[in-house]
Amino acid sequence: MTDRAPTREVVHGDGIAWLQAAQLGPEVALVTSLPDHSELEGPFAAWRTWFVDTAALCCAAIAPTAVAIFYQSDVKHDGRWIDKAHLVHQGADRSDAACVFHRIVCRKPAGTLGFGRPLYSHLLGFSRALRLPSGFGAPDVLPELGVMTWSRAMGTAACALVCRYLLEATACRTIVDPFCGVGTMLAVANAHGLDAIGVERSAKRARKAAALQLP
Ligand SMILES: C[S@@+](CC[C@H](N)C(=O)[O-])C[C@H]1O[C@@H](n2cnc3c(N)ncnc32)[C@H](O)[C@@H]1O
C-alpha cells in the first residue's frame, strides 16, 4: 500500500475495444459484471456467444499472474436456467485460465422462496498462472450482498470481499472494470486503497462512475 490517495479513471467508451488495446501489468486485476441479454440488442444466441467470447477476452487481457473476477447472476430464458458461471468457465477454458476464487453471494437469506431471478450470484475468479495459496481459508458463502446502487449493480459487500481477497492473496493493487456501470466496484476499490479504472458505454453512467462515493 502507498501513502497517496487511490486513483480513479473512468473512460466513456467500449469496454471490448479498450481491453483489446490494453497492456495490463501484473498489478492489475479485472473485476466486472458482464451485461445480461436484457441489456444488449440482438437475439439470445448472439448474446450467449458474445458473453463467452468476452469472458475469454477478459481472462486473456490480464497478465498471467493476475486475476479476472466475474460477478454474475443467472437468468431464466425460454423456461431454462442460463447458468452464467458455466458460460464464464467456457470463456476461461478458451484462454487457459483456471478457477482460483469461487464464492456464492446470497441475494436474499438462504431458504427464501424464489420465483423470478435467482437468490444467489456467482463470484468467480480465473488466472492463467496464479494458483490457490495453501492454507488460505475463507467463507465460501457471503450471506448478504450489501447495498445495490442500482438494479444491475454489484452488491457492495461482494465488492469488499473481492478487495480483501486481492489484497490478501494476490499482488494486484489496481482494479479494472470494463463494464463499470455506475462504478460500484471502482468506489469500493478506492475505499480499500486500490486504484481503479472503469469503462462504460453509457455517458450518464460513466459520469456517475467517476463521482460515486459510498458511505
Ligand atoms: C451489469 S451492468 C454493470 C453494473 C456495475 N457493476 C455497477 O455496479 O454499476 C453492465 C454495464 O455494462 C455496460 N455496457 C454494455 N456493453 C458495454 C460495452 N461494450 N462497453 C462498455 N460498457 C458496456 C452497460 O451500459 C451496463 O452499465
Side-chain angles (χ1 to χ4, degrees):
M1 301 294 290
T2 61
D3 291 338
R4 65 171 176 76
T7 60
R8 187 184 317 176
E9 179 192 343
V10 177
V11 177
H12 169 219
D14 179 7
I16 305 274
W18 189 92
L19 279 177
Q20 285 167 339
Q23 303 275 326
L24 304 178
E27 75 288 0
V28 182
L30 186 153
V31 185
T32 199
S33 183
L34 297 179
D36 183 52
H37 170 236
S38 57
E39 294 177 83
L40 300 183
E41 305 200 340
F44 183 80
W47 166 81
R48 201 180 187 285
T49 302
W50 177 91
F51 192 97
V52 175
D53 289 349
T54 305
L57 173 64
C58 289
C59 293
I62 55 168
T65 55
V67 192
I69 299 181
F70 302 86
Y71 176 92
Q72 304 295 165
S73 303
D74 297 345
V75 282
K76 289 177 194 157
H77 179 76
D78 248 353
R80 297 168 296 168
W81 277 110
I82 306 303
D83 181 352
K84 292 185 186 169
H86 171 63
L87 301 183
V88 171
H89 268 277
Q90 285 185 318
D93 280 351
R94 199 186 294 166
S95 293
D96 274 335
C99 187
V100 293
F101 178 81
H102 189 183
R103 305 283 184 271
I104 296 296
V105 180
C106 294
R107 301 168 60 83
K108 296 282 178 201
T112 303
L113 192 58
F115 295 99
R117 298 183 75 191
L119 303 182
Y120 58 87
S121 295
H122 303 276
L123 257 184
L124 287 161
F126 299 87
S127 178
R128 280 173 287 141
L130 189 77
R131 290 295 174 260
L132 294 165
S134 59
F136 181 76
D140 293 327
V141 178
L142 184 66
E144 291 180 5
L145 84 169
V147 173
M148 280 181 76
T149 51
W150 65 302
S151 62
R152 298 194 180 278
M154 294 172 67
T156 53
C159 295
L161 179 74
V162 167
C163 291
R164 290 196 299 276
Y165 162 73
L166 292 175
L167 287 164
E168 289 168 16
T170 79
C172 297
R173 297 296 177 263
T174 298
I175 288 179
V176 166
D177 184 347
F179 303 92
C180 73
V182 303
T184 319
M185 189 63 242
L186 312 182
V188 175
N190 285 166
H192 284 76
L194 300 166
D195 293 334
I197 302 170
V199 188
E200 170 56 49
R201 73 171 181 183
S202 149
K204 189 173 166 192
R205 285 199 278 274
R207 276 195 300 279
K208 284 189 181 175
L212 183 68
Q213 299 291 335
L214 293 168

